[in-house]
Amino acid sequence: MPTKMYCAPCVAVSLLLLFPDTAVAHSALTIPRPRQAVDADESPWGEKVPEKVPFEPWCPIPSRSAAGQDHRNLTGSNGEACFWFSNGCAIGCDACDGSTRGPIPTFVCVDGQSPDSCEVRPTPGPHHIEFGPQAPICGPNAPAPAAPGKSMNATICDPRQRTVNTAAKCGSPEDYFFYSPWRAPGFAPVIDSCGVAGGRIPGQGPGGFGAEYVETKHAKVGDLGSKVLKPLSTGVEWARGLEYEVAWTLQANHGGGYSYRLCPASSNLDEDCFNSHPLMMVGQSALRWGGLGGHTIYFDPVTVTEGTRAGVMWRKNPVPRSWKTKQGKWGQGSNHLQVGMGFEPVCEDQGMDLTGTQRSCTGMWGPYNLEIVDKVLIPKELPLGEWVLNWRMDQEESNQIWQSCADISITSTDSRPTFI
């Protein structure tokens, strides 16, 4: 699909008008099916996904099971899984405050450069930056009321490992996302390791920016995932020493990166336990549209192991919110006037897809029909039995951490069919 010509500022402004940035980064595990999919059979999630996907309360995912029922292969079978998270979290803090969204700066084109291909810089002169600049939540520079903790400096400074405002010098006044969770993966606290319904607990503010949850018979705002969500049978068996596919999807994109970890199902599902059993992602990552069997491309991921808590392996979110095409022009729907420079897409850019019908790999919304797929290696020494898989995604453009937990069995033999 050819890249359309457009006015970059006009597109950015019109998108903000159509889709005001009231969202935090909503994402969730899709393979294996997470406990957070508990609402899947209730209305409206058990019904057809709307053609125009509303932000709340939908977490649409691509699935082969929707073929013949939805022309996009979209389903609501993940329920409200993408609304389980920890809100108001920053590196080096002892706790999340449940409400701080993070900086929302503005950028302008460098004087004299064409709007469709310009370099961008922070808006000059004194101007208000909501929740910023840099927005430490704890420590001596945090505004009152500060969260407990001393704060810390970012461990990720390499622009190649960052996802937004990548042209800013690390730690400079223009490095607005310096204290965001992704800037020191795993070092930001969480409210609960399996997320919180609505991202906050009672007494932590009114929400906003997507910190919402539609109450059902299963959960309400403030419920802790590790306490309220019961084991959800997935039938997934992983044999020691072998590799298995895992996947997640985006609903609203705020950059950052993700990890996979395990904890025995009989243990407390907390960060100490999950950090004791990290999983290695092996080989290339993949983008897959339309669920299992859908169009797939493979790419070399950006993997981070240095500067992470407990040495856990992380991979960078490969979907840019701000990007340029191969022709050097701002991509269709690029959000560079809010987040600055991003990074190059790993697929042939088609622009932000708000419909879930294209093969897009860019944008601040969705793409709803896209999964990010990896393979994890199961340690040979892992004890047999019932385990819980944790997917944790630390954001960079916001102070949120997205979390899913799924039930699996660790076995000694491979249960997958053998084809001769």
Side-chain angles (χ1 to χ4, degrees):
M1 177 178 178
T3 302
K4 297 179 181 179
M5 299 298 292
Y6 66 102
C7 165
C10 297
V11 170
V13 171
S14 62
L15 283 171
L16 286 173
L17 291 174
L18 288 170
F19 301 94
D21 194 12
T22 56
V24 290
H26 289 264
S27 312
L29 186 70
T30 57
I31 299 175
R33 190 182 186 204
R35 291 183 178 185
Q36 285 78 1
V38 66
D39 301 320
D41 294 332
E42 296 199 23
S43 179
W45 307 284
E47 302 165 5
K48 181 177 174 60
V49 178
E51 285 296 318
K52 184 177 181 180
V53 180
F55 173 53
E56 296 170 349
W58 283 90
C59 304
I61 64 171
S63 174
R64 187 168 55 185
S65 66
Q69 304 175 46
D70 186 286
H71 67 98
R72 303 157 295 180
N73 278 18
L74 292 183
T75 172
S77 61
N78 238 21
E80 295 183 83
C82 67
F83 289 90
W84 291 84
F85 67 108
S86 295
N87 196 28
C89 311
I91 58 176
C93 297
D94 294 337
C96 304
D97 68 17
S99 59
T100 301
R101 186 259 186 233
I104 305 179
T106 59
F107 292 79
V108 295
C109 284
V110 172
D111 293 344
Q113 295 187 5
S114 174
D116 66 355
S117 59
C118 65
E119 298 301 314
V120 294
R121 59 187 177 94
T123 300
H127 63 285
H128 174 67
I129 299 178
E130 193 171 2
F131 306 112
Q134 292 191 334
I137 293 176
C138 62
N141 297 320
K150 298 180 179 180
S151 191
M152 65 178 288
N153 289 330
T155 61
I156 285 185
C157 281
D158 187 340
R160 294 169 297 181
Q161 297 176 339
R162 289 153 55 184
T163 53
V164 289
N165 197 22
T166 56
K169 181 180 178 181
C170 184
S172 69
E174 294 75 32
D175 187 4
Y176 302 117
F177 309 110
F178 186 73
Y179 296 105
S180 298
W182 174 241
R183 297 299 295 276
F187 280 100
V190 297
I191 300 175
D192 186 270
S193 288
C194 289
V196 184
R200 55 195 167 92
I201 57 179
Q204 287 191 321
F209 295 97
E212 306 292 342
Y213 191 87
V214 175
E215 182 175 347
T216 69
K217 65 183 180 183
H218 300 289
K220 62 183 183 302
V221 169
D223 282 349
L224 304 180
S226 68
K227 308 299 182 185
V228 171
L229 297 175
K230 298 177 181 179
L232 182 65
S233 177
T234 61
V236 173
E237 296 183 351
W238 288 350
R240 295 183 295 193
L242 299 181
E243 300 171 6
Y244 291 89
E245 180 177 288
V246 288
W248 58 277
T249 191
L250 279 164
Q251 204 244 28
N253 179 18
H254 292 247
Y258 59 97
S259 65
Y260 289 97
R261 303 171 297 169
L262 290 171
C263 178
S266 58
S267 299
N268 291 328
L269 302 180
D270 57 25
E271 291 302 286
D272 287 340
C273 183
F274 284 121
N275 281 333
S276 297
H277 306 282
L279 289 178
M280 287 184 59
M281 290 170 272
V282 295
Q284 291 184 302
S285 295
L287 301 181
R288 181 171 64 207
W289 293 267
L292 285 169
H295 180 74
T296 303
I297 65 169
Y298 296 88
F299 65 94
D300 294 325
V302 175
T303 299
V304 180
T305 55
E306 295 184 6
T308 71
R309 187 171 184 180
V312 173
M313 174 185 283
W314 295 72
R315 281 184 173 176
K316 171 181 166 180
N317 174 4
V319 179
R321 177 171 167 148
S322 166
W323 72 100
K324 285 188 173 182
T325 67
K326 291 181 178 179
Q327 292 73 37
K329 299 182 182 296
W330 288 110
Q332 182 180 353
S334 173
N335 191 230
H336 50 281
L337 297 184
Q338 181 178 321
V339 301
M341 188 61 197
F343 58 96
E344 183 179 350
V346 299
C347 75
E348 189 67 33
D349 175 45
Q350 297 189 10
M352 182 168 63
D353 175 20
L354 297 174
T355 63
T357 59
Q358 303 177 39
R359 292 175 181 172
S360 172
C361 68
T362 57
M364 64 180 286
W365 296 97
Y368 305 121
N369 61 341
L370 173 69
E371 288 175 293
I372 294 86
V373 184
D374 291 280
K375 285 189 175 182
V376 292
L377 176 63
I378 309 307
K380 293 181 179 179
E381 69 281 1
L382 204 64
L384 305 179
E386 303 306 307
W387 289 74
V388 175
L389 174 70
N390 173 269
W391 171 84
R392 170 173 167 162
M393 187 173 185
D394 283 13
Q395 305 304 306
E396 183 172 10
E397 196 269 338
S398 63
N399 286 106
Q400 288 88 29
I401 295 170
W402 291 89
Q403 300 146 291
S404 295
C405 287
D407 295 279
I408 63 167
S409 298
I410 299 298
T411 65
S412 57
T413 56
D414 191 3
S415 62
R416 292 175 292 192
T418 300
F419 299 97
I420 301 176

